[in-house]
Amino acid sequence: MNFIRHITPLFTLFFLFLLPLRGLCTPPAFMIGADLSFLKFAEDEGDVFFENGKPVDVLQLLKNHGYNWVRLRLFVHPTDLPNNLDYTIALAKRAKALGYHFLLDLHYSDTWADPHHQITPSAWQNLSHPQLVKTVFRYTKDTIEAFRKANVMPDMVQIGNEVSVGLLWPDGKLPEHWDHFADLMKAGISGVYAACPTKLRPWIMIHIDRGGDWQYTHLFFDRLAAYHIHYDIIGQSYYPWWHGSLEELQQNMRLTAQTYHKPIVIVETAYHWQKAEYPNGNGPFPETPEGQKQFLQTVYQIVQSTPDHLGVGVFWWEPAVPFHGTYASLVSRSFFNEDHEALPVIMAFDGYTSGIGVPSSTSSEK
């Protein structure tokens, strides 16, 4: 085992030493984004979306209202949702054709990966740790190459989804297995680089779910630094009923920027347009269509106010969920009401001029 513990880091170092030599794709001034992973699924189920009574293509609608990024999740071998490679490439092609930038969210699971579920794909569950590290590298490399060959290269890649408690449990579970977690993260990052034969490569995001929790954010990213895990963007989820007050979000954004000097994106946020999480009306805004819009505008303003222009984006999760079936309960946090009509939140960024952006760079070393 001691021999393996020394060999595994060497496996990733071969590609990680190239980091200072690889230029980064250039994002637009400010990332106004949406996770639209449900969109094609909803359309395939027969859902039609409207603005002012007229049918609309949701991607075009969001583009018309200032959105410039799309985030899409990818499962390894999906068990109950269609988010496989072909499905995701098809959505990415539609987004790229409209001029969107594309964030790929690698879950490294056959189903949802989040703080409560980081389930190792069924085909990988009997692998040893060294085998799992090699598999993560190979899977990531093959996946990015597939997007490149389809001419929809991601502009940014998440290595895992909400990985505050690790990924690929039990092997990479935190806090028990930081050494294993670090190996797996490095393998994923190395896989992205290995798939990029040109000088340009996607930005690397590390995404956790602690938008209003500076104490844990500090602990987590300090540990990443101790393990020499190289990345470009800090991603946070922020749902106020789970992740603290707006004041705590602002404090965390400020302290994270001042401590790590890296761009920060709220890569998941949402609020309800009808009563759901705050039945007693004690939320930061009313759970009404107008309250939903005010919430998004406030989060945007908090991100924009981050020191040194290091707050660089806001992504909504998800604007266009299916109206029927297992996930219909999420409609109350979507951008469309029960009549499939666009809500006021769709206009949250109308009239804004976003002049703050990701600092230009030729390297992921900060």
Side-chain angles (χ1 to χ4, degrees):
M1 284 300 294
N2 287 337
F3 173 76
I4 292 172
R5 297 292 318 140
H6 284 88
I7 289 297
T8 302
L10 291 175
F11 171 74
T12 57
L13 280 175
F14 175 77
F15 290 103
L16 287 176
F17 87 93
L18 294 174
L19 289 177
L21 306 178
R22 295 286 180 95
L24 298 172
C25 298
T26 303
F30 189 91
M31 302 177 204
I32 298 176
D35 191 314
L36 287 168
S37 302
F38 272 130
L39 177 60
K40 187 175 181 298
F41 178 45
E43 293 171 338
D44 291 346
E45 292 292 304
D47 288 327
V48 179
F49 300 89
F50 297 88
E51 183 183 35
N52 299 322
K54 297 180 180 179
V56 292
D57 176 350
V58 173
L59 280 162
Q60 185 62 64
L61 175 66
L62 292 176
K63 189 75 176 177
N64 294 345
H65 288 283
Y67 284 75
N68 52 21
W69 276 80
V70 166
R71 178 181 186 246
L72 301 174
R73 62 176 165 267
L74 181 65
F75 298 147
V76 178
H77 297 295
T79 53
D80 59 350
L81 280 169
N83 303 99
N84 62 17
L85 187 62
D86 289 343
Y87 174 99
T88 307
I89 286 175
L91 260 179
K93 283 184 175 181
R94 286 175 56 186
K96 286 279 191 177
L98 289 173
Y100 280 96
H101 284 70
F102 166 36
L103 166 56
L104 176 62
D105 178 10
L106 295 172
H107 278 235
Y108 294 107
S109 182
D110 294 336
T111 186
W112 302 102
D114 57 46
H116 304 289
H117 316 88
Q118 294 283 344
I119 302 170
T120 298
S122 58
W124 304 359
Q125 288 183 359
N126 294 323
L127 299 180
S128 67
H129 175 65
Q131 290 171 330
L132 195 54
V133 170
K134 291 179 181 179
T135 299
V136 167
F137 170 81
R138 185 172 59 250
Y139 165 78
T140 307
K141 178 177 179 292
D142 290 348
T143 297
I144 301 303
E145 286 178 343
F147 281 97
R148 178 169 56 80
K149 290 175 183 176
N151 201 31
V152 285
M153 188 69 169
D155 300 281
M156 189 181 304
V157 179
Q158 282 183 223
I159 307 300
N161 186 75
E162 295 186 329
V163 297
S164 53
V165 288
L167 77 167
L168 295 165
W169 289 353
D171 189 82
K173 194 172 190 298
L174 298 182
E176 297 93 326
H177 301 299
W178 262 100
D179 286 352
H180 284 195
F181 173 76
D183 291 342
L184 295 167
M185 295 296 284
K186 289 177 180 178
I189 294 167
S190 298
V192 175
Y193 296 128
C196 300
T198 67
K199 292 182 179 179
L200 288 179
R201 53 88 174 167
W203 293 73
I204 299 294
M205 173 183 283
I206 305 298
H207 169 213
I208 65 172
D209 65 309
R210 302 300 176 98
D213 185 348
W214 162 243
Q215 183 176 359
Y216 191 85
T217 298
H218 189 22
L219 170 67
F220 182 88
F221 286 100
D222 272 5
R223 293 300 295 271
L224 288 192
Y227 280 94
H228 306 289
I229 295 173
H230 300 282
Y231 61 96
D232 307 302
I233 306 280
I234 292 172
Q236 286 277 15
S237 292
Y238 176 68
Y239 301 94
W241 54 90
W242 289 325
H243 300 141
S245 68
L246 289 161
E247 291 76 17
E248 288 169 323
L249 170 64
Q250 186 164 28
Q251 178 194 49
N252 195 15
M253 293 290 293
R254 173 176 57 81
L255 293 173
T256 301
Q258 292 171 343
T259 303
Y260 301 105
H261 311 289
K262 289 193 181 273
I264 310 161
V265 176
I266 300 303
V267 75
E268 288 188 27
T269 196
Y271 205 74
H272 297 265
W273 55 264
Q274 61 182 2
K275 285 190 176 182
E277 298 293 340
Y278 302 102
N280 297 323
N282 57 344
F285 293 95
E287 289 185 306
T288 63
E290 189 59 35
Q292 184 189 49
K293 176 184 175 182
Q294 292 171 347
F295 168 81
L296 180 54
Q297 289 176 325
T298 301
V299 171
Y300 170 86
Q301 291 161 359
I302 287 172
V303 174
Q304 284 273 28
S305 69
T306 303
D308 300 321
H309 304 324
L310 288 173
V312 299
V314 177
F315 285 69
W316 191 270
W317 196 100
E318 287 207 20
V321 301
F323 286 90
H324 308 284
T326 304
Y327 300 99
S329 61
L330 297 173
V331 166
S332 66
R333 64 170 83 165
S334 79
F335 281 3
F336 298 88
N337 66 18
E338 291 169 335
D339 296 323
H340 303 198
E341 180 69 32
L343 292 158
V345 68
I346 202 78
M347 298 180 288
F349 301 114
D350 290 7
Y352 278 93
T353 300
S354 304
I356 297 174
V358 176
S360 60
S361 175
T362 57
S363 165
S364 67
E365 299 284 0
K366 301 291 183 186

